[in-house]
Amino acid sequence: MIIDDIAGHPGEWLRGNGPLCDIVISSRIRLARNVLGFPFLTRASDAQKAELAATIRRHIDAEATAGDWAYLEMARVEEIDQQVLVERHLISRQHADARGSRGVSISRDESVSIMVNEEDHLRIQVLRSGLQLDEIWDDINRIDDRLEERLDYAFHPRYGYLTACPTNVGTGIRVSVMLHLPALKLTGEIEKVFRAAKDMRLAVRGLFGEGTEATGDFFQISNQVTLGRTEAEIINDFKHQVIPRIIDFENRARKALVQERANALDDRIWRSYGALRHARTISSEETMLHLSHLRMGIHLGRIKLVDMKTVNDLFLLSQPGHLQRLYGAKLSGEQRSAARADLIRKHFEACSSSA
Amino acid sequence: MIIDDIAGHPGEWLRGNGPLCDIVISSRIRLARNVLGFPFLTRASDAQKAELAATIRRHIDAEATAGDWAYLEMARVEEIDQQVLVERHLISRQHADARGSRGVSISRDESVSIMVNEEDHLRIQVLRSGLQLDEIWDDINRIDDRLEERLDYAFHPRYGYLTACPTNVGTGIRVSVMLHLPALKLTGEIEKVFRAAKDMRLAVRGLFGEGTEATGDFFQISNQVTLGRTEAEIINDFKHQVIPRIIDFENRARKALVQERANALDDRIWRSYGALRHARTISSEETMLHLSHLRMGIHLGRIKLVDMKTVNDLFLLSQPGHLQRLYGAKLSGEQRSAARADLIRKHFEACSSSA
């Protein structure tokens, strides 16, 4: 089963080694597509949904190289495994929680996932570590073209691709970049980013996209407008305007911290190390916060007792789904917090003994 | 100068090895005395205060064995050194902050201090680690008798020793026991102690006695009533009633924590270790709290990475006066917090490398 295959190690996008990875966690493009001749899902009967899912799956499977792709029917995926997929950003929470015939096709390296019967008939996503929008666009465009040869997409000559929600009509594209902005958060300047994003009609969200709050140090920036601009224009804006500006803000904030408040910065980083290294019970949120400080600390050369691989692994493995899968059992909140602290401690011990 | 002599290591009472030292930090008795023929200090002129101080000093010096006692004139003691004396409980804050002719005579092992011209003409104090009220009473009674042979105390056949504040009239005695009650604090049962103390007409105060709040995990229990009961009755109450009851409460709470909430207990202890081991800036209050958790953790055998001597030394040395004396300079609040974190880290490193 593919979940066994992927749950133990991070996919390509979480390896943390893509371009500009000190600040850019990952880039993602998704396309919303619907198949001509079927109603939107809010209006589709169970039978229509099942037929639609079967049809789409057949065409995806035909395009996929055997062994390199896997199709999962959501109804057959256990709750903890669904959570694992959400934590890996391979499906949305909505897709996990929904009912009716639906699935997801995932490439072995987890860079591509195609959700079937989410909000639209197809949600094609390509995800990569660091800032790699051009590479992603090449990939997703090719996948989209090949599927379009097999499936008749609902397309209007004037409006473009038709989608279940009007906000996606047109290109059906959403470009998102996940940024790690701990220095802007620490100095309180993160508001600047929010304002700039608003001016440019971009959305700022939390770690898990739509409907999740931008808490912690991770922020997902994505386009709001899909109509009246080409995909290339949207991507170029991100590449040449939006992301470089935010990276510049964050780098200045980091530099200022190092130069003017080095001791307070080190205090933050080292206390996070101390908490993770010694806690006996710890929540997911607190873990994220400390890992975020360590991530910054490692990139700034302020801490060498722990390596980036350990931090990246723990970002993923400390989340509730992964944790329960690792322990092979459903755990209560209290049990999870204790298990999480154990897991982190073991990783840190391994890390410092090899240092 | 005596301050050089004492500032670097803890006095007898802070060695933490007295009877019942897992819960009882220290015991203390003080006697308030005034000299016949001089007005109370609120009514004394500067000349009278000076004459009084000189007279008392002459008699104390005559009784003291040279080299084993030192008399400090407060006006000549620098501000940081005054703070050191307060932190060692050898003088009161009021005595440090007051004006006019006043002093303190201190025995080399710091178990005895005699404040001259504090609220009363004489405040004789004996302080020891753990629960040692009988030993203290023997000491202080002997000192008091010998001074009484030289000085005429203000004494009324019906009311007893006359004192500046009516609450001390009679025996002039205050018996105080400093307790470490982290488990009762953690479980919220500390209120029980407050109620029991109130019923027995005892006062509960913080680490520095009168006027300091009972925050943190350290509580000073002392008698309120000095009139109508003999010294022996007051001391026996403490020895046989008050203190054993509170020790029993605390021991039950510790046992319950170990049996029912071991992970939460260890979390508290180990996070405190992590914070002290890695912080780069830390306040006095936070330091106390973490040291308190470690103290409990060591006594309960939950942590072995740090020893009690290190914890006891740091209780004293991390306080503002000691810290500034150690650094040989007056430091701002921010500088103190950074220096404190440094000092603690060095002690912990020395401790774990020798472990």
Side-chain angles (χ1 to χ4, degrees), chain A residues 63-74:
Chain A
E63 278 298 328
T65 315
D68 273 358
W69 282 75
Y71 187 92
L72 303 172
E73 285 191 34
M74 291 312 294

Side-chain angles (χ1 to χ4, degrees), chain A residues 25-71:
Chain A
I25 303 284
S26 59
S27 320
R28 170 180 172 266
I29 297 179
R30 72 108 173 100
L31 300 173
R33 299 289 184 256
N34 289 275
V35 180
L36 207 63
F38 287 90
F40 285 134
L41 291 161
T42 43
R43 305 217 157 215
S45 67
D46 284 352
Q48 283 173 315
K49 285 184 192 173
E51 192 195 335
L52 187 56
T55 307
I56 296 174
R57 176 181 180 168
R58 199 173 60 242
H59 290 300
I60 293 176
D61 282 353
E63 278 298 328
T65 315
D68 273 358
W69 282 75
Y71 187 92

Side-chain angles (χ1 to χ4, degrees), chain A residues 159-262:
Chain A
Y159 299 123
Y161 292 104
L162 301 178
T163 53
C165 177
T167 57
N168 290 313
V169 166
T171 52
I173 198 173
R174 176 161 290 163
V175 176
S176 317
V177 176
M178 183 73 75
L179 299 167
H180 184 220
L181 307 175
L184 288 171
K185 190 71 188 290
L186 263 173
T187 59
E189 295 168 293
I190 194 74
E191 290 298 327
K192 269 200 216 169
V193 175
F194 292 165
R195 276 196 302 273
K198 212 180 154 197
D199 288 347
M200 300 171 84
R201 300 180 69 189
L202 302 170
V204 182
R205 298 193 176 90
L207 206 51
F208 290 100
E210 203 150 344
T212 66
E213 259 190 282
T215 52
D217 297 336
F218 296 94
F219 301 90
Q220 183 188 285
I221 314 281
S222 54
N223 65 305
Q224 299 269 54
V225 177
T226 54
L227 197 62
R229 308 195 69 204
T230 67
E231 293 89 342
E233 284 170 343
I234 294 170
I235 291 170
N236 275 330
D237 253 19
F238 265 78
K239 244 183 78 179
H240 299 298
Q241 304 279 337
V242 183
I243 304 303
R245 256 178 81 183
I246 302 178
I247 289 179
D248 185 51
F249 280 167
E250 171 69 16
N251 273 330
R252 280 166 200 261
R254 289 186 185 189
K255 210 168 184 175
L257 282 176
V258 170
Q259 283 173 353
E260 292 152 32
R261 293 168 58 196

Side-chain angles (χ1 to χ4, degrees), chain A residues 263 266-267 270-271 273-275 278-282 286 338, chain B residues 263 266-267 270-271 273-275 278-282 286 338:
Chain A
N263 200 54
D266 285 342
D267 187 59
W270 282 98
R271 278 176 181 255
Y273 176 79
H278 295 294
R280 294 304 193 259
T281 176
I282 192 165
E286 191 190 344
Chain B
N263 200 54
D266 285 342
D267 187 59
W270 282 98
R271 279 177 181 256
Y273 175 79
H278 295 294
R280 294 304 193 260
T281 177
I282 192 165
E286 191 190 345

